């Protein structure tokens, strides 16, 4: 059952021109027990007093063994957005009300596939960051391979890109493709691709027998990638989706 608790902002920085990384701790001092891939809800009120909430994937990278003290999320700024006003202006030491964790966008213990295809745009990459300890363990224990296709307009919008690059250098079973839709980086990298993530799938030759795919991010991308994966023969139960919808 999801808990309700208060979070205090302990650190923050801009990941991209319109995305802020925020680190919280629970005011009650308790750690957060969550499964990588799950999300929290931040509760607040509109200016007219009406209650509302927004969902954010937990991006904390623990050691994979249990709860975490540091609760990290990535927040996209939405012009005129109520959550942007709250979380964009939140100062260190200030608090917000939250609940969770929620969701089942998680790596499953019963999977027996040879490869995972992880696909994201924008802050949809956040849950994959939290999964890195699990990914490391699955590469070691089952010999799984992982491919992360991360779509952004340009290099400046690749959230946590350097972390994924470093993880790929350390782990042979993990490949990171930055898929840039508005042109190459000034210094392109070997695994970079130009275009949209769904257009890169043919290169991976998805297999119904060997692959499970995860899709997270912009709804249009999720729908397009879902259709493309089905066209490649993946059964619906092997395509796991989470859509990020911007709300005011």
């Amino acid at each position: 059952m999801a808990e309700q608790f208060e979070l205090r902002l302990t650190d923050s920085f801009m990941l991209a021109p319109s995305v802020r990384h925020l680190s919280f701790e629970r005011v009650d001092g308790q750690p957060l027990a969550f499964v990588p891939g799950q999300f929290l809800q931040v509760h607040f009120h509109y200016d007219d007093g009406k209650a509302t909430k927004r969902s954010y994937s937990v991006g904390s990278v623990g050691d994979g063994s249990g709860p975490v003290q540091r609760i990290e999320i990535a927040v996209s700024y939405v012009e005129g957005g109520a959550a942007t006003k709250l979380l964009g202006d939140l100062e260190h030491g200030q608090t917000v009300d939250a609940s969770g964790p929620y969701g089942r966008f998680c790596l499953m213990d019963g999977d027996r596939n040879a490869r995972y295809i992880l696909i994201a745009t924008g802050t949809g990459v956040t849950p994959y960051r939290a999964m890195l300890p699990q990914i490391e363990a699955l590469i070691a224990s089952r010999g799984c391979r992982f491919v992360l296709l991360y779509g952004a307009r340009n290099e400046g919008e690749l959230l946590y890109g350097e972390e994924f690059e470093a993880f790929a250098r350390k782990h042979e079973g993990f490949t990171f493709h930055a898929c840039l839709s508005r042109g190459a980086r000034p210094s392109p990298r070997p695994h970079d691709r130009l275009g949209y993530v769904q257009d890169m799938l043919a290169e991976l030759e998805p297999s119904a027998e060997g692959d499970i795919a995860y899709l997270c991010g912009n709804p249009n991308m999720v729908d397009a990638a879902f259709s493309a994966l089905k066209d490649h023969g993946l059964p619906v139960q092997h395509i796991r989706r989470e859509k990020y919808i911007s709300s005011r």
Side-chain angles (χ1 to χ4, degrees), residues 64-104:
S65 66
V68 295
Q69 291 290 150
R70 191 177 181 92
I71 301 158
E72 301 175 327
I73 62 173
V75 177
S76 291
Y77 286 10
V78 177
E79 187 69 33
T84 295
K85 181 179 177 182
L86 171 71
L87 296 172
D89 295 338
L90 199 68
E91 296 181 359
H92 296 181
Q94 292 185 317
T95 62
V96 293
D97 293 321
S99 65
Y102 304 97
R104 293 181 288 182

Side-chain angles (χ1 to χ4, degrees), residues 2-248:
E3 292 183 86
Q4 293 193 358
F5 42 83
E6 198 173 9
L7 295 175
R8 180 186 295 113
L9 184 65
T10 59
D11 191 19
S12 69
F13 57 88
M14 295 305 294
L15 276 170
S18 62
V19 182
R20 187 184 188 191
H21 174 99
L22 299 99
S23 298
F24 296 93
E25 290 179 351
R26 286 176 53 150
V27 171
D28 61 12
Q30 295 299 307
L32 177 73
F34 80 106
V35 179
Q38 290 187 310
F39 64 90
L40 299 180
Q41 290 186 332
V42 173
H43 301 254
F44 61 102
H45 293 83
Y46 289 119
D47 290 340
D48 63 4
K50 182 181 178 182
T52 187
K53 57 193 174 184
R54 297 289 185 273
S55 300
Y56 299 98
S57 290
V58 179
S60 304
V61 182
D63 62 5
S65 66
V68 295
Q69 291 290 150
R70 191 177 181 92
I71 301 158
E72 301 175 327
I73 62 173
V75 177
S76 291
Y77 286 10
V78 177
E79 187 69 33
T84 295
K85 181 179 177 182
L86 171 71
L87 296 172
D89 295 338
L90 199 68
E91 296 181 359
H92 296 181
Q94 292 185 317
T95 62
V96 293
D97 293 321
S99 65
Y102 304 97
R104 293 181 288 182
F105 188 73
C106 307
L107 298 172
M108 305 296 184
D109 289 339
D111 290 341
R112 293 294 177 264
N113 55 306
R115 181 176 66 168
Y116 288 94
I117 301 173
L118 311 178
I119 304 174
T121 53
T123 54
V125 81
T126 310
Y128 303 142
R129 180 179 187 249
M131 290 176 185
L132 288 177
Q134 288 185 321
I135 291 172
E136 183 175 48
L138 284 168
I139 291 171
S141 66
R142 284 182 45 210
C144 287
R145 290 176 294 123
F146 288 80
V147 180
L148 172 55
L149 299 177
Y150 182 26
R153 288 181 295 186
N154 53 59
E155 182 177 27
E157 295 183 359
L158 287 172
L159 313 183
Y160 310 112
E162 293 303 324
E163 292 184 40
F164 291 117
E165 294 272 8
F167 190 86
R169 287 193 296 270
K170 184 179 175 184
H171 300 88
E172 239 178 62
F174 183 88
T175 303
F176 174 66
H177 292 296
C179 302
L180 303 172
S181 62
R182 299 288 177 87
R185 317 189 202 209
S187 300
R189 303 184 187 184
H191 291 288
D192 285 356
R193 298 293 184 268
L194 296 179
Y196 295 105
V197 289
Q198 58 267 29
D199 299 330
M200 305 299 116
L201 289 171
E203 177 185 335
L204 299 183
E205 299 181 346
S207 157
E209 294 75 28
D211 291 329
I212 290 177
Y214 282 71
L215 316 176
C216 192
N218 177 281
N220 293 331
M221 178 281 290
V222 171
D223 290 343
F226 180 73
S227 295
L229 287 163
K230 284 198 303 180
D231 289 344
H232 281 284
L234 260 68
V236 171
Q237 62 269 29
H238 284 184
I239 309 173
R240 298 162 186 172
R241 296 172 284 175
E242 189 147 283
K243 297 181 180 181
Y244 281 19
I245 300 173
S246 298
S247 303
R248 292 184 182 277

